[in-house]
Every structure is written in C-alpha cells, then in structure tokens.
Amino acid sequence: MLEIQNLSGGYGEKKIIEDVSFRVEKGEMLGILGPNGSGKSTLMKLMSGVLPFKEGTITVDGKQITDFPPKQLARTMAVLPQLHVHAFSHSVRETVSLGRYPHQSGWFSSWSKEDENSVVEAMRLMDISHYEKSQIDQLSGGEQQRVFVAQALAQNASILLLDEPTNHLDINHQKELLDTIKKQAIEKDLTIVSIFHDINLAAMYCDKLLLLDKGRIYRIGEPHEVVREHDVEAVYKTRVSNHPHPELPKPQITLLPNVKRDISSAQIRAEDFSISSKMVLYRSRVPLKTVSSAVVNPGSGWFRNFMNRHVDASYNIDNSLEEMKGFIEKNELKSTDTVGMMTAVQTRHAIVKEYEGTFGSVVIAVTAGVGNGVDVSKAVERTMHVGTINTWIMVNGSLSEEAFIQAMITATEAKTKALQQEQVMDPLTGTIATGTSTDSCLVAATQQGEYLPYAGPVTEIGKLIGRGVFECTVEGIKAYREAKKA
Amino acid sequence: MNKNFLAYIVSLLLLGGAIVLGVTIGTVPISPVVLFNPKFDETAANILWNIRMPRVVLAGLVGAALAIAGAAFQGLLKNPLADPYTLGVSSGASVGAVMTLFFGISLPFLGTFTLPVMSMIGALLTMFMVMGFAKLVDRSMKMETVILTGIIFSSFLGSVISLMIALTGEELRQIIGWLLGSVSMRGWPYVQMALPFIGIGSFVLWLNRRELNAMLFGEERAQHLGVDVKKRKLSILIGGSVLTGAAVAVSGTIGFIGLVVPHMTRLVWGSDHRHLLPLSFINGAALLIVCDLLARTIISPTELPIGVITSFIGAPVFAYIFFRQRKGGSMNA
C-alpha cells in the first residue's frame, strides 16, 4: 500500500506539486492524468525518491520511503521512466538483468537461480524473449519500451511507478502491455501508479484516476467520477464528449475538434428519394447522424446513403449481412457509408412525405407490410415471418442524443396508432396488432440548423413525427392491402 | 559465457605477445629464450630484466590505468569521447606533478609517493572542476559540453605548466620530454611507485562495474534500480583520478589510450562493464606496450615520445567516434 500525504515539492524554490494526498491499495491501479506541465512527471519523481520533496510524507506499508536504503527502495518500488536515447548499447538480456541489481549484494555477487527466473519471466511477459541477444538500439521504440518494462518487472517490486508506459507502442502493444501489467497487479497484488496521456486508456485500465491541474489534485476517484466532460474540459481546455465504452463499464471521451463541418446546404427533401421496385434510396450530400435498427450499419453513426431494399418473401440467406453488403456495393454505394434495411413489401408502394415546421422539416418514409401483425402485449409463441414496417424519420435540424431516442418512441407510438386505426390484427391472438415481428426504425438528422433538445410527442418536432408517421403508415397499409387484393 | 571466456583468452594472448615483443625487440635484439633462461645470454638477460622489462611493465601499467579509467569515465558520463586526456584530468595531474617538482614539495610520510599523490590530487580537483563547470553550463551535460569544458581546462592548465617551465629555465628539456609522455629510463622504482595506486584504483572501478552498467541508462534510472548514485559516482571519480594521477606521475600525459581502448573493446566484446573494465585494462596494457615499442624503434636510434604515437592513432579515432555519434545516434555494441 502506497500512501502520499500533503506532498509538495519541485525544483529549486519553485513548488510544482502542491499538497497532494492519495493512497493506492495493493492490487489497485491508479492513473495520473493531466495536461502538459501539470506536474505529472514531477509527482512521479517525488514519489520515486529521485527528487527530494519539501513537505509531506510518502509511506509504503506504513514506512517512510526516505528511510529506505537505495537497494531496499528498489526492491520495493520499480520505476519505468520515459524512454531516453543512450550513448552506449546493451543487449536486451543485459538490460533486463539490470533489474536484478537491487537483489544482488557483496563484491562478487553471483547470479542466482531466482535472478535468472525473474529475468526470463519478465522477458516472456513482455514478449521479448526472442530478441534477448539483440542490442537495444537496434530495436524499434516500441520494442525498447517493452524491454524497459521487463527491466522494471524483473525488479520484483510490489509497487510499480510507470511514466506513460504505452509511449511509442502501437494499439495492439498498448493493449498487450496494459493487459499484462493489469494481470500482474491482480495476480501478484502489486500497487501500480501510472501516468497516462490517453484518458481513454487510463479509464479502461485504472481502478482510480487522479486528474492533476497546475500541481494540485483537481479530481480523484473512480473513472466515472473523473472522466467527465466538464472536468476534462476545464483542465485540458479542450472540448470533449463523453460516451460509454462498448464492452466495459468505463467512461470514454472523444475530442470535439474545432474543424467546422461542411455545411453546404444539406436539405433532406421528399422529392430526392428515389423509389423503384427494387428499393427506396435516399442519397444525402452530407453525412447524416443516424440511429437505426437496420441490417447494415445498425446503431449510431454518420452515413450518406439510406437504402430500403425489396427482397422476395422467400428471401432466406444464411449470411444476409454479407449478401446485403454485396448488394449495396453492386449498386455502387459504399457499404461503410450506407444504412441498409430489407422488406418484403413492394418498395414502389413506399410512402414518402415531408412535414414543414418552424425549425425546418421532417421527411417520413414508410414501407408497411402487415401480413404478420403482432400484438406485443400478448406473449404467444411465434416464428419470425417477413412482414415488415420500416419507418424512416429524416430531420432537417440538429437533434440531441435524447431527441433521437424520443423521436423513435414517438414514431413507434404513432405506428401503433395507425395499426389500430387500420384494424390490423394479430392472427394468433385475434387482437389488434401493435406492429409486426421484424419492424425497423431509423432516425437521421442533418445536425444543422436549429438545435432540438427534445422530440417527445408535445414538442413541435414530436408533433410532426407523430402525425407524419401515423399518416404515412396508414397510407402504406392501404397501399399494401390494395396490392394484395390486385 | 563462452564469448566472455574467449574475450579474456584473446586479450591475454595479445598482452603476452606484446610483452614478448616489447622485451625482445630493440637496438640489441634479444632472443625470447632469455626470458625463461637467463643463463643463455647473461648480458642480454641483464638488459632484458633491468632495462626493457621495467619499461614494458610500466608501459603496461600506464596503458591499463588509462584505459580502465577511460572506460569508467565514459560509462559514468555516458559519453564515448570521455577519457582522462579529453576531460583535462591528465592536465590536472600534470599540474600536480609539475608543481611538486617546481616547488620541491615533499609531503610528510609520503616520501617518493609525494609525486603520484600530488598528481592524483591535481587530477581529482580538475575532475570536479570540469564536472561542476560543465553542469553549470548545461544541466544535461551533453557530450560536446563536457569535452569543450575539458579543452578549456586543459588549455588553462597547460598554460600554468608552461609558466612553471618558463620559470624553471634549466631543466626544460627534461620536463618537456616528460610532459609529452614517456616510459623510458624509469626503472623498477617507478613501477613500484605506480603499482599500488593503479591496483587500488582499478579495484575501486571494478567494484562499480554493475553500477556503471546501470548508470549507462542515466543517473535517474540508476537510482530507480537501487544504485546509491552519489556515493558510487564519487568512488568512480576518485578511482579514475587515482589511476590518472598515478599514470601521469610516472609517464607524463599520454593521450587517447583511455579513449581508443574502451571503444575498441566495446566494439568487439560489448559494453557490459563487468567485462569491459577488466578487458580494457588488459588491452590498454597491450596497446601501450606496442605503442612504446613503435616509439622507440620506428625511427631508431631516435626515440619518439610515446604520446606522439598514441595521439597519432587516437585523434582519428576520436574524430571517427564523434562523427558516428552525430550521424548515427548511439554507438553499436
């Protein structure tokens, strides 16, 4: 356990670190974040004993580090500084072996079995065993970095201080290195303090984060307490946006650059939709921010092309995603820039209408196939059938995150109302259907013009969506029934 | 391990060869047989054991001292151009020695050891001044800064020596000859005078072999690894200064041995100080014996100062290392 209390220090008379206190438990990893010049490296130097501190205490398991003789300190605390250029070269093995220095004593100190094992193990962990005989200056920056991490691991210390351990590493090696360190921390109950430049990496791997600003602690706590838009913006003086990690319960941030998007009048117009028997296609000149439950590129993203493709009712292909991507490419669109849906409905019956509001307008596009109506409130065993209502809501406006979700809710409610009006039945339960088994919805917005924070049913845009989706769905159902009759 | 074993065998063979050549070649050629059987030729044996052997041994000791000191200085300063000569330490030792002669100083209890001890003090003081000044100029102690500081101090101390020589008048030739570096006509007493200091200095450096390895990565890194940097640095500086002082006291300033030998040794056998130090010691001895042999035979019967030979080899190597450093980053091997 490492405990720092009221630590102050710096170079000469100048205090760079002021009144810093925190503690790191065994098995815990603390990440130090902060802009350039915030004192991260100075804090590290104070902690490692290289720079004498002016005030405060640093204790390891209750003992002051200033009381440790140099070798004992090195057996307790291993430090990985930032990489430097060297005048002479050692082999990889010689370099890693130096990590055993604090474990050797006496004039003729010999190389013990334990020394050998630690070195071999450290090289294995850092995946550098195969060039143990190479000279370090012949290795790439990333390989050198791993050699020095191995050197620090060979010290077998219970505390690891790392100064940007992922410097010079590609993303794979960043991940490998931090995975290894994290694993070591857990298995060997190490206490780890590491400086990070990359806030996202720090948030992913660290149990606690310390945000340093002008030599003082600005915020300390679990990643979700520290990686917050407001704090990061205040300390780093740059705009960021917060979002969750897709797999881990950790916050991540994204930079918001001051580069302006190309705002060459991006207007979504109903008449720009091309409708054929094969598909409904809308091609936007600028990417639209999109949230959808499509087949190709579902979820959220920025896309230029929107395709609702007609497939035969018997369409049944194992790898429908790949097939659909191929179809998109065949139509000379980029599959990475296209949201793709499918429907068994004749796409020439698609209803596309534009609804004007004061902020701009909303274009609604619906294809409705109600052959397999489902009453969602009745839990009945069902098999999946094609019979889809695909609803697109394309907004000429700037939607907030919650507006995207509210737009979907509003659209779904309107759709359900349309099904009720049209008396679409669930054949299994004999009640009015609320949708079909494979309905899909898409909300896209130009993110230009007026900012629309909400899109609930009583907002102006909500009203347009509600009315539009209702009307278009009703018309779509009618068109579908007409076609069935014919 | 094999490579290291080979390194010692090769180096020792070279040294043995150098010694045999050193004692047999000369104005009077002597058969190597005399080495093992003095009865074979009594006159030759006399020349060999009383004139040539002390000269060869002294050359060997001086070469060994300068080379191991150079290796240690280079490691400590992470500077491949550092050696007692380029750092100005040799000049400092010379000033100590010349002052002893000039003022006729004799320290109590030291007797004949006054000269080497004064040399060592001169060397150590110069070392501290050079390091202090270089640090004052440039905290990071860049290679060029340190060498430039060495040159400044060398020049200044050189002028101090010139001044003392000018004031002496008579013994001019002798002192100048000594200054250019020579191991001739010294005899066994000089060997006895230098041996203990060179032994102690080398041993002190050897005790710091691991620390030197760590310090190659910078003093801060060495501290992280558990090296007591202040203490070790001081002991390396003292060890190196003792060696330089002892070498200069018996042979004057002989340049570049401390630069060339560690460089060559590192190039062939690697830069692990556990072996670099002893190997530099052995190779330094061999090289200076050969240089001395060249100095006294190349335009025989006239003898060249040995410093002429070492500088003739050393300066181009110095230039080469400097070029490589500036062009290619660090030195390989």
Side-chain angles (χ1 to χ4, degrees), chain A residues 24-52:
Chain A
V24 195
E25 304 292 336
K26 280 199 169 71
E28 207 174 55
M29 183 158 168
L30 171 83
I32 298 179
L33 295 170
N36 293 339
S38 57
K40 301 186 297 283
S41 290
T42 308
L43 177 57
M44 204 60 121
K45 282 185 182 169
L46 292 172
M47 287 167 65
S48 62
V50 172
L51 192 64

Short mmCIF file of all heavy atoms in Angstrom, two decimals, chain A residues 24-52:
data_model
loop_
_atom_site.label_atom_id
_atom_site.label_comp_id
_atom_site.label_asym_id
_atom_site.label_seq_id
_atom_site.Cartn_x
_atom_site.Cartn_y
_atom_site.Cartn_z
N VAL A 24 -2.98 4.32 -2.58
CA VAL A 24 -3.27 3.24 -3.53
C VAL A 24 -3.10 1.93 -2.79
O VAL A 24 -2.06 1.67 -2.19
CB VAL A 24 -2.28 3.29 -4.73
CG1 VAL A 24 -2.81 2.42 -5.86
CG2 VAL A 24 -2.09 4.71 -5.22
N GLU A 25 -4.15 1.13 -2.84
CA GLU A 25 -4.13 -0.15 -2.13
C GLU A 25 -3.42 -1.21 -2.96
O GLU A 25 -3.21 -1.05 -4.16
CB GLU A 25 -5.57 -0.63 -1.86
CG GLU A 25 -6.44 0.35 -1.09
CD GLU A 25 -6.00 0.55 0.35
OE1 GLU A 25 -5.34 -0.35 0.90
OE2 GLU A 25 -6.31 1.61 0.93
N LYS A 26 -3.08 -2.32 -2.30
CA LYS A 26 -2.49 -3.46 -3.02
C LYS A 26 -3.48 -3.96 -4.07
O LYS A 26 -4.67 -4.03 -3.82
CB LYS A 26 -2.19 -4.58 -2.03
CG LYS A 26 -0.92 -4.37 -1.26
CD LYS A 26 -0.44 -5.69 -0.67
CE LYS A 26 0.96 -5.58 -0.12
NZ LYS A 26 1.03 -4.77 1.11
N GLY A 27 -2.96 -4.30 -5.24
CA GLY A 27 -3.81 -4.83 -6.30
C GLY A 27 -4.56 -3.74 -7.05
O GLY A 27 -5.36 -4.05 -7.94
N GLU A 28 -4.29 -2.50 -6.69
CA GLU A 28 -5.03 -1.40 -7.30
C GLU A 28 -4.15 -0.64 -8.28
O GLU A 28 -2.94 -0.55 -8.10
CB GLU A 28 -5.49 -0.45 -6.18
CG GLU A 28 -6.74 0.32 -6.51
CD GLU A 28 -7.21 1.14 -5.30
OE1 GLU A 28 -6.43 1.92 -4.74
OE2 GLU A 28 -8.37 0.96 -4.92
N MET A 29 -4.78 -0.09 -9.29
CA MET A 29 -4.03 0.68 -10.28
C MET A 29 -4.59 2.09 -10.33
O MET A 29 -5.77 2.29 -10.55
CB MET A 29 -4.16 0.00 -11.64
CG MET A 29 -3.35 0.66 -12.73
SD MET A 29 -3.07 -0.54 -14.06
CE MET A 29 -2.44 0.50 -15.35
N LEU A 30 -3.71 3.05 -10.08
CA LEU A 30 -4.11 4.46 -10.10
C LEU A 30 -3.51 5.11 -11.34
O LEU A 30 -2.32 4.96 -11.62
CB LEU A 30 -3.60 5.19 -8.85
CG LEU A 30 -3.79 6.71 -8.88
CD1 LEU A 30 -5.20 7.08 -8.46
CD2 LEU A 30 -2.78 7.43 -8.00
N GLY A 31 -4.33 5.81 -12.10
CA GLY A 31 -3.84 6.51 -13.28
C GLY A 31 -3.74 8.00 -12.99
O GLY A 31 -4.66 8.57 -12.41
N ILE A 32 -2.61 8.59 -13.36
CA ILE A 32 -2.46 10.03 -13.17
C ILE A 32 -2.66 10.71 -14.54
O ILE A 32 -1.97 10.39 -15.50
CB ILE A 32 -1.08 10.39 -12.60
CG1 ILE A 32 -0.93 9.75 -11.22
CG2 ILE A 32 -0.91 11.90 -12.50
CD1 ILE A 32 0.40 10.01 -10.56
N LEU A 33 -3.62 11.61 -14.58
CA LEU A 33 -3.92 12.34 -15.81
C LEU A 33 -3.66 13.81 -15.57
O LEU A 33 -3.68 14.30 -14.45
CB LEU A 33 -5.38 12.16 -16.19
CG LEU A 33 -5.84 10.76 -16.57
CD1 LEU A 33 -7.36 10.72 -16.66
CD2 LEU A 33 -5.22 10.34 -17.89
N GLY A 34 -3.47 14.52 -16.66
CA GLY A 34 -3.27 15.96 -16.54
C GLY A 34 -2.63 16.49 -17.79
O GLY A 34 -1.93 15.75 -18.48
N PRO A 35 -2.86 17.76 -18.09
CA PRO A 35 -2.26 18.32 -19.30
C PRO A 35 -0.75 18.46 -19.17
O PRO A 35 -0.21 18.28 -18.07
CB PRO A 35 -2.93 19.69 -19.44
CG PRO A 35 -3.45 20.02 -18.08
CD PRO A 35 -3.69 18.73 -17.36
N ASN A 36 -0.08 18.78 -20.26
CA ASN A 36 1.36 19.01 -20.23
C ASN A 36 1.67 20.10 -19.20
O ASN A 36 0.97 21.09 -19.13
CB ASN A 36 1.87 19.49 -21.60
CG ASN A 36 1.73 18.40 -22.65
OD1 ASN A 36 1.64 17.23 -22.32
ND2 ASN A 36 1.70 18.79 -23.89
N GLY A 37 2.69 19.85 -18.41
CA GLY A 37 3.09 20.87 -17.45
C GLY A 37 2.25 20.88 -16.19
O GLY A 37 2.41 21.78 -15.36
N SER A 38 1.39 19.90 -16.02
CA SER A 38 0.55 19.89 -14.82
C SER A 38 1.31 19.30 -13.63
O SER A 38 0.83 19.34 -12.51
CB SER A 38 -0.73 19.11 -15.07
OG SER A 38 -0.42 17.80 -15.48
N GLY A 39 2.48 18.71 -13.90
CA GLY A 39 3.29 18.19 -12.80
C GLY A 39 3.27 16.68 -12.65
O GLY A 39 3.72 16.16 -11.64
N LYS A 40 2.78 15.98 -13.69
CA LYS A 40 2.68 14.52 -13.60
C LYS A 40 4.06 13.88 -13.37
O LYS A 40 4.23 13.09 -12.46
CB LYS A 40 2.08 13.92 -14.88
CG LYS A 40 0.70 14.42 -15.23
CD LYS A 40 0.14 13.66 -16.43
CE LYS A 40 0.91 13.84 -17.71
NZ LYS A 40 0.70 15.09 -18.40
N SER A 41 5.01 14.25 -14.24
CA SER A 41 6.33 13.64 -14.12
C SER A 41 7.03 14.07 -12.85
O SER A 41 7.77 13.27 -12.25
CB SER A 41 7.19 14.00 -15.34
OG SER A 41 6.69 13.35 -16.48
N THR A 42 6.81 15.32 -12.44
CA THR A 42 7.42 15.79 -11.19
C THR A 42 6.87 14.99 -10.01
O THR A 42 7.63 14.56 -9.14
CB THR A 42 7.13 17.29 -10.98
OG1 THR A 42 7.52 17.98 -12.16
CG2 THR A 42 7.90 17.83 -9.79
N LEU A 43 5.57 14.75 -10.02
CA LEU A 43 4.95 13.95 -8.96
C LEU A 43 5.59 12.56 -8.92
O LEU A 43 5.91 12.03 -7.86
CB LEU A 43 3.44 13.85 -9.19
CG LEU A 43 2.65 12.98 -8.22
CD1 LEU A 43 2.84 13.44 -6.79
CD2 LEU A 43 1.17 12.98 -8.58
N MET A 44 5.82 12.00 -10.12
CA MET A 44 6.43 10.68 -10.21
C MET A 44 7.85 10.71 -9.64
O MET A 44 8.26 9.77 -8.94
CB MET A 44 6.46 10.29 -11.69
CG MET A 44 6.53 8.83 -11.93
SD MET A 44 5.11 8.01 -11.23
CE MET A 44 4.42 7.24 -12.64
N LYS A 45 8.57 11.77 -9.95
CA LYS A 45 9.96 11.87 -9.45
C LYS A 45 9.98 12.01 -7.93
O LYS A 45 10.86 11.46 -7.27
CB LYS A 45 10.66 13.07 -10.10
CG LYS A 45 11.12 12.76 -11.50
CD LYS A 45 11.92 13.90 -12.09
CE LYS A 45 12.30 13.56 -13.52
NZ LYS A 45 12.85 14.67 -14.24
N LEU A 46 9.02 12.73 -7.40
CA LEU A 46 8.96 12.88 -5.94
C LEU A 46 8.65 11.52 -5.32
O LEU A 46 9.25 11.12 -4.32
CB LEU A 46 7.87 13.89 -5.56
CG LEU A 46 8.12 15.36 -5.93
CD1 LEU A 46 6.88 16.19 -5.67
CD2 LEU A 46 9.30 15.93 -5.17
N MET A 47 7.71 10.80 -5.95
CA MET A 47 7.31 9.52 -5.39
C MET A 47 8.43 8.49 -5.46
O MET A 47 8.57 7.65 -4.58
CB MET A 47 6.08 8.97 -6.13
CG MET A 47 4.81 9.72 -5.78
SD MET A 47 3.49 9.32 -6.92
CE MET A 47 3.26 7.61 -6.57
N SER A 48 9.24 8.56 -6.54
CA SER A 48 10.30 7.55 -6.70
C SER A 48 11.54 7.91 -5.90
O SER A 48 12.49 7.14 -5.86
CB SER A 48 10.64 7.38 -8.18
OG SER A 48 11.15 8.59 -8.70
N GLY A 49 11.55 9.09 -5.31
CA GLY A 49 12.69 9.46 -4.47
C GLY A 49 13.83 10.09 -5.24
O GLY A 49 14.87 10.41 -4.67
N VAL A 50 13.67 10.26 -6.56
CA VAL A 50 14.73 10.86 -7.35
C VAL A 50 14.83 12.35 -7.03
O VAL A 50 15.91 12.94 -7.02
CB VAL A 50 14.44 10.66 -8.86
CG1 VAL A 50 15.42 11.44 -9.69
CG2 VAL A 50 14.51 9.20 -9.19
N LEU A 51 13.67 12.95 -6.77
CA LEU A 51 13.63 14.37 -6.44
C LEU A 51 13.19 14.49 -4.98
O LEU A 51 12.12 14.03 -4.62
CB LEU A 51 12.61 15.05 -7.37
CG LEU A 51 12.56 16.56 -7.43
CD1 LEU A 51 13.86 17.10 -7.98
CD2 LEU A 51 11.41 16.99 -8.32
N PRO A 52 14.03 15.08 -4.14
CA PRO A 52 13.63 15.20 -2.73
C PRO A 52 12.42 16.12 -2.59
O PRO A 52 12.36 17.15 -3.24
CB PRO A 52 14.87 15.84 -2.07
CG PRO A 52 15.96 15.77 -3.07
CD PRO A 52 15.32 15.69 -4.41
#
